[in-house]
Amino acid sequence: MAKKTAKADRTAKWYGYARVSTDGQDTDRQVQDLLEYAKKTGAGYPVIVTETASGAKERPELMAMLAGVGYGDTIAVTEFSRLTRRGIPELLEIARTVTAKGAVLIELRSGTRYDDSAMGEMMMSFTATMDRMEREKISERTKSGLKARRGAGVILGRPKGVSKLDARREEIKKYQNMGINKTAIAKLVGCSRTAYLNWLDIQERAKK
């Protein structure tokens, strides 16, 4: 009987990568979109990797994920711009690294599946440019809206003592019932392990 190859023996993984630039932002929406896409495509429970880092700085979580990706794996991002903001050259370098390992790179927003053909690279460059233009327009509209609200005397931000995890209570309970560990749950809800443990501690003390 023919001997199985290492590629055939390997169990493919599905990764979802979410990144924000500052601590004032969170990855909640990106993670939710990635989970919904994985469910819709029958990918099962994905490995979610979240990171807070400017696209122009080091991204250790991204680098670790790329180092571990292998044949048959899939990496999905909501937008290609989540992988880098250093421009098209680095984006293409990351994409080529993925395909060289026999993995697939997908952008949810456009449905683009990258391949290393000339047409694939052209489509990625075009899509990334359009994503950036749309992001900049949204940023300008958001800044204008916030300025108008401040001018009207509206107090912005989350009320003191309220955690963003409070709104995710049912989702967290579902993850706990699934037996997912605390570190993974923290990533799924877009916060640090410390923040998640502090929130759990507050919940326990509130029951007493």
Side-chain angles (χ1 to χ4, degrees), residues 80 88 91 123-133:
F80 286 136
I88 300 300
L91 178 58
M123 284 300 298
M124 170 173 273
S125 300
F126 175 76
T127 301
T129 300
M130 294 304 294
D131 287 346
R132 178 177 178 179
M133 291 174 64

Side-chain angles (χ1 to χ4, degrees), residues 22-41:
T22 67
D23 291 327
Q25 302 171 315
D26 61 56
T27 58
D28 294 5
R29 180 59 184 272
Q30 293 177 60
V31 170
Q32 191 60 39
D33 288 346
L34 290 165
L35 289 172
E36 288 177 0
Y37 183 83
K39 181 179 179 180
K40 182 176 68 175
T41 56

Side-chain angles (χ1 to χ4, degrees), residues 152-165:
V154 176
I155 298 176
L156 304 175
R158 189 182 298 117
K160 188 175 181 180
V162 177
S163 169
K164 70 177 183 179
L165 297 183

Side-chain angles (χ1 to χ4, degrees), residues 35 45-46 171-188 196:
L35 289 172
Y45 180 68
E171 182 183 350
I172 290 171
K173 185 176 180 180
K174 179 184 71 174
Y175 294 144
Q176 290 172 332
N177 291 338
M178 291 170 64
I180 300 173
N181 65 50
K182 292 182 175 63
T183 300
I185 291 177
K187 286 188 175 184
L188 286 168
Y196 176 57

Side-chain angles (χ1 to χ4, degrees), residues 14 20 25 63 72 100 133 163 167-168 180 185 193 201 208:
W14 198 99
V20 290
Q25 302 171 315
M63 294 301 109
M133 291 174 64
S163 169
R168 310 287 290 274
I180 300 173
I185 291 177
R193 175 182 166 84
D201 183 57
K208 297 177 181 179

Side-chain angles (χ1 to χ4, degrees), residues 109-170:
R109 181 173 180 176
S110 65
T112 301
R113 292 172 64 91
Y114 172 79
D115 63 61
D116 56 2
S117 67
M119 181 60 72
E121 295 196 352
M122 184 183 75
M123 284 300 298
M124 170 173 273
S125 300
F126 175 76
T127 301
T129 300
M130 294 304 294
D131 287 346
R132 178 177 178 179
M133 291 174 64
E134 180 63 21
R135 188 173 63 250
E136 289 176 352
K137 285 194 294 184
I138 291 173
S139 177
E140 286 303 314
R141 289 198 296 266
T142 300
K143 288 177 182 177
S144 296
L146 290 174
K147 184 177 180 180
R149 293 177 68 189
R150 290 193 188 98
V154 176
I155 298 176
L156 304 175
R158 189 182 298 117
K160 188 175 181 180
V162 177
S163 169
K164 70 177 183 179
L165 297 183
D166 292 342
R168 310 287 290 274
R169 199 181 303 274
E170 290 303 313

